[in-house]
Amino acid sequence: MTGIHTLPGPATAPGTDATVVGENLSLPLFRSLSGVLAGHPYLKVVVDRTEHTWHLLDTAAHPFHVNYVATRILGMDLNELDAGLDAFNASVYTDPGRRFLLGVLSLHAGQDTEGRNRPFLVLETTEADTMDGPMLQEFYDFVRERVDGRLPLLLKPANHGQEAALAPMSDVTLPRILSHQLFVSRPRTPLNTAEATGRLRWFASLEEYRAHAADLRWSDIVAMDCLPDDCPRVAGFINAAPITPLSHTNVLASGWGIPNAIVRDMAHLVESQELDGAWVRYRVQDDEVSLVRLHEVPQLDEPAWHQQRIRLEPPLLEDTPVLELHRLRREDRDRYGTKAANLGELHHVLDSRTADLTAFYGRARPPRKDLYGHLASRLTASADPETLRQAASRFVAATITAPDGVALPFALQHRFLTSSPALQQGIGKLKMALELGATEVLDPLCLSLQQLVRATPLPEDVAARITGPFADRVCRKRLVVRSSSNAEDLPGFSAAGVYDSITTVHGTDELLDAVRQVWASLVSPRSVRLRHQAGISLDDTYMGVIVQEYTPAGLGGVLVTCNPTRREDFRNVYINCTPGSPESVVDGTALPLQYLYNTVEGGGRTVDLGSSVEDLPSPARARLADLALTGRLLQSHFATDPDDPLDIEWLMTEEGAFKLVQLRPYAL
């Protein structure tokens, strides 16, 4: 068998404590103690400043620094440690007079000036560590003296605070590398963890993909530089070019539960191992991406999603008024769609300040009974639950605003569709094809029906109700028209990128055309197929529409209230952004800046600069930290369960205010 593999993992057997104290570190010793994290061997180190020695931890036996320090050095038992864990953490991570310096050494490979691969080590602290510049220099110098001199050693600042502390210091005496510089050099990047067996289909260009897309089957694993957003539901995705975990295709992969990763040398692997058309076993884990060729065609069971059924609440189609968003509540989703109802609920949360936004922090995180103390520290407030709830509401209301606009109900689309016999006939044909399983005629039927929706005149009363709220300014203002279906933004069915939104609308005619285009996207070939696969009936599916005045943005993007590549991480929120509108992040036309922000202990770090040549300035990154904490707080109210993450589109106005554009569940 051939395959893609990460660097070797631990050489010691699990549970075998081979921890070393006081010895110098050679490469063989490093490998004997190391584990694997994000595809790289790594080793935990503890420097004892009092004893002037260090401890090299056997990763298999000691997964946590603090447990080792407490039990093996200080003689505590775990119950004693757990009872005062937060205070103990503060003594080793934030106390300026701390006895211990804790960090991780990871092994990487880079090319020298002659193009040869050379190993090098990277030293970093945990993301919540507050070491200042002199302490980081001390930590680096101590380790440098004890590591094989043939191995280059670089310090990686663990957060933006450490980057700022190191800025005035010489990179000669303290050589360093930034997180985003390491990230872009990774040959394998997990995006969505899962496993699949299927036939690999390699496409060298988008044109080649388009020519063969109709032949793709559920058992295929699609590999190309950058997968298009309209890729059908298949067994797995492989990207040869960089993308973000928040791209539409990865949101779909997450929702579908299929593996997705970046494999930078995929084209070479396909050619050298003759993988195109081969059957493979593809696995994406938090710290490994593997692809193994199979020499026999496997017997595959029908995928579970063939039996998946998403149940919709019956849409309410009686005559319903066009309403301003702030008048909606979450319960209105069966009249105006999930997106509009969530934005209306956001208005209510900000205006009433009665919602409990602290539920996520009230959950037990063993051995902690809750995280209220950490939230109190972030908000500079008392840890009393009621006081904390009030502080959280004030913080969120001071950080973000909800967008203004109006919501068009399902009733208007229903009135439009029933006004035309031709539309009714086209819908009938499409329903019959779905019932008979006549998939070969679906695409032409959908395309014909879409064209008919866009071309059919609106009844006068429907047109008047659409343009009425904007009558005095529709010709002077740029408008944005967005979808708000009852078959999107649902747990288990996000429909990310499936329905149309139009952001360049001027005048009455363009407004009416845009509304019909959004309605027409409900019967696009892709949306019909995806809903049919999920068991969503065409009869139950309706489209509401949101109409808003366009807001110029200095910065825009997407955040998810989780770390999408490490599912067990409950601390971090992931933010993507780029100058201008969030659409360029969502649709993948720009590679965004990528950040992780710790919403428990605090701190943030830059993961990737994307298409930008430099990072955002420090004040802007600090504002993003506030946005990250706001997203985490809103999760407590908007998620079905307080631990379920949200997917939030946002923009920062030219005046520097955050405005949320969309809130929906993020599928994990």
Side-chain angles (χ1 to χ4, degrees):
M1 293 188 297
T2 59
I4 304 168
H5 300 284
T6 56
L7 290 166
T12 55
T16 305
D17 188 353
T19 297
V20 173
V21 181
E23 293 186 17
N24 288 350
L25 181 64
S26 64
L27 193 54
L29 178 59
F30 177 96
R31 290 191 181 279
S32 72
L33 299 174
S34 65
V36 175
L37 182 65
H40 298 285
Y42 78 102
L43 173 66
K44 288 182 170 64
V45 300
V46 175
V47 170
D48 188 336
R49 302 168 81 190
T50 299
E51 299 295 332
H52 199 67
T53 190
W54 71 337
H55 301 246
L56 307 176
L57 276 57
D58 178 356
T59 304
H62 300 290
F64 301 107
H65 285 96
V66 291
N67 287 16
Y68 177 86
V69 172
T71 60
R72 296 292 294 271
I73 301 179
L74 300 180
M76 300 168 61
D77 64 43
L78 286 178
N79 290 332
E80 183 183 359
L81 172 63
D82 289 348
L85 182 60
D86 289 332
F88 190 87
N89 281 342
S91 74
V92 295
Y93 291 126
T94 63
D95 185 348
R98 69 190 75 170
R99 172 180 169 180
F100 301 104
L101 305 179
L102 312 184
V104 171
L105 279 167
S106 54
L107 181 63
H108 302 259
Q111 289 190 341
D112 61 18
T113 55
E114 299 178 0
R116 295 172 297 188
N117 282 333
R118 298 293 188 188
F120 66 95
L121 291 172
V122 172
L123 175 67
E124 63 182 305
T125 70
T126 65
E127 62 187 20
D129 201 298
T130 60
M131 285 191 201
D132 60 12
M135 194 178 291
L136 287 167
Q137 182 76 66
E138 176 190 347
F139 191 27
Y140 175 86
D141 290 343
F142 191 101
V143 174
R144 175 70 280 178
E145 290 176 5
R146 290 159 179 81
V147 171
D148 187 332
R150 293 170 295 180
L151 285 173
L153 176 65
L154 304 175
L155 179 78
K156 186 179 80 171
N159 50 54
H160 292 144
Q162 288 187 3
E163 287 182 24
L166 292 174
M169 301 179 66
S170 168
D171 58 6
V172 175
T173 58
L174 188 53
R176 70 204 67 161
I177 189 168
L178 299 180
S179 295
H180 65 83
Q181 293 170 322
L182 271 183
F183 181 81
V184 299
S185 68
R186 291 174 63 179
R188 318 275 184 263
T189 303
L191 294 173
N192 192 63
T193 56
E195 182 176 350
T197 297
R199 183 181 58 151
L200 192 136
R201 303 291 304 277
W202 166 255
F203 300 107
S205 66
L206 183 60
E207 292 73 21
E208 184 177 334
Y209 166 84
R210 296 292 183 205
H212 296 89
D215 300 328
L216 291 175
R217 298 294 179 263
W218 61 264
S219 56
D220 288 336
I221 295 170
V222 180
M224 56 191 298
D225 275 352
C226 188
L227 281 89
D229 287 349
D230 61 358
C231 191
R233 193 162 188 169
V234 290
F237 292 159
I238 301 175
N239 299 269
I243 66 165
T244 166
L246 303 190
S247 66
H248 270 157
T249 50
N250 198 53
V251 171
L252 291 173
S254 179
W256 295 340
I258 64 174
N260 188 20
I262 300 170
V263 179
R264 290 177 180 265
D265 58 345
M266 193 65 210
H268 169 72
L269 291 167
V270 167
E271 181 178 357
S272 62
Q273 300 180 14
E274 299 182 346
L275 292 179
D276 188 23
W279 288 88
V280 298
R281 183 174 297 114
Y282 175 37
R283 176 183 295 176
V284 178
Q285 299 172 292
D286 285 341
D287 55 7
E288 182 181 11
V289 178
S290 63
L291 188 66
V292 178
R293 180 169 181 167
L294 305 177
H295 295 295
E296 295 182 358
V297 178
Q299 295 294 321
L300 298 179
D301 295 328
E302 188 177 66
W305 55 263
H306 271 201
Q307 288 79 42
Q308 179 188 14
R309 292 297 178 262
I310 302 295
R311 296 187 180 277
L312 299 183
E313 298 176 7
L316 299 181
L317 305 176
E318 74 273 11
D319 192 28
T320 308
V322 174
L323 287 182
E324 294 180 334
L325 287 174
H326 69 83
R327 296 179 60 187
L328 301 183
R329 293 293 301 276
R330 184 160 38 188
E331 295 76 19
D332 291 311
R333 58 184 175 271
D334 54 3
R335 293 176 175 86
Y336 297 89
T338 312
K339 190 181 301 182
N342 282 347
L343 291 178
E345 185 72 15
L346 178 61
H347 274 279
H348 171 74
V349 168
L350 297 179
D351 294 341
S352 70
R353 303 192 187 182
T354 58
D356 180 8
L357 303 181
T358 67
F360 173 87
Y361 291 87
R363 287 290 176 90
R365 313 285 173 182
R368 303 172 181 88
K369 65 176 183 178
D370 58 58
L371 298 175
Y372 283 146
H374 289 281
L375 179 58
S377 178
R378 303 276 73 75
L379 298 177
T380 319
S382 164
D384 169 69
E386 180 57 34
T387 303
L388 202 54
R389 282 194 288 269
Q390 295 174 8
S393 291
R394 288 194 300 270
F395 178 84
V396 169
T399 304
I400 63 165
T401 61
D404 295 324
V406 301
L408 310 183
F410 299 156
L412 286 185
Q413 186 205 19
H414 180 66
R415 168 80 174 86
F416 167 68
L417 294 176
T418 56
S419 71
S420 167
L423 285 172
Q424 290 297 296
Q425 185 180 30
I427 293 170
K429 290 180 179 178
L430 180 56
K431 288 167 57 178
M432 182 64 70
L434 291 169
E435 291 171 5
L436 296 176
T439 56
E440 70 281 358
V441 299
L442 278 184
D443 285 11
L445 284 176
C446 288
L447 293 172
S448 175
L449 185 53
Q450 279 192 284
Q451 179 59 33
L452 190 59
V453 170
R454 289 190 290 260
T456 299
L458 289 163
E460 290 186 6
D461 60 323
V462 173
R465 291 176 64 183
I466 293 172
T467 59
F470 299 94
D472 62 340
R473 58 189 189 275
V474 72
C475 295
R476 295 182 289 108
K477 298 286 187 177
R478 175 179 170 182
L479 300 177
V480 177
V481 178
R482 303 182 187 277
S483 67
S484 182
S485 172
N486 63 338
E488 64 179 321
D489 297 354
L490 304 174
F493 192 79
S494 74
V498 172
Y499 305 123
D500 287 349
S501 291
I502 300 92
T503 61
T504 55
V505 178
H506 296 85
T508 302
D509 291 342
E510 287 189 13
L511 173 58
L512 297 177
D513 288 344
V515 170
R516 279 179 296 201
Q517 183 173 335
V518 172
W519 285 343
S521 67
L522 196 67
V523 290
S524 70
R526 184 173 181 237
S527 69
V528 169
R529 288 179 183 276
L530 289 177
R531 289 196 307 271
H532 187 63
Q533 290 168 354
I536 299 175
S537 169
L538 188 62
D539 283 333
D540 294 335
T541 309
Y542 276 84
M543 179 67 76
V545 178
I546 299 170
V547 184
Q548 302 163 292
E549 290 186 8
Y550 172 78
T551 301
L555 195 67
V558 180
L559 72 83
V560 292
T561 56
C562 66
N563 180 349
T565 62
R566 299 197 67 81
R567 300 183 179 186
E568 75 281 4
D569 177 5
F570 64 84
R571 289 174 164 81
N572 283 291
V573 163
Y574 197 78
I575 293 181
N576 282 189
C577 61
T578 191
S581 162
E583 275 79 12
S584 59
V585 172
V586 174
D587 63 19
T589 56
L591 284 175
L593 293 137
Q594 301 178 41
Y595 299 94
L596 278 171
Y597 284 94
N598 185 326
T599 58
V600 177
E601 291 88 2
R605 64 186 187 272
T606 304
V607 176
D608 192 3
L609 295 184
S611 303
S612 302
V613 296
E614 59 184 7
D615 206 348
L616 293 174
S618 180
R621 297 201 306 258
R623 293 292 314 285
L624 290 181
D626 289 343
L627 180 65
L629 180 55
T630 295
R632 176 70 81 203
L633 293 170
L634 290 174
Q635 176 181 332
S636 294
H637 180 73
F638 282 91
T640 304
D641 180 280
D643 278 347
D644 293 341
L646 294 182
D647 176 343
I648 299 174
E649 288 185 28
W650 58 271
L651 58 85
M652 180 190 286
T653 67
E654 293 177 336
E655 294 73 33
F658 285 120
K659 182 174 291 189
L660 302 194
V661 178
Q662 181 172 335
L663 300 89
R664 61 186 173 194
Y666 180 74
L668 276 180

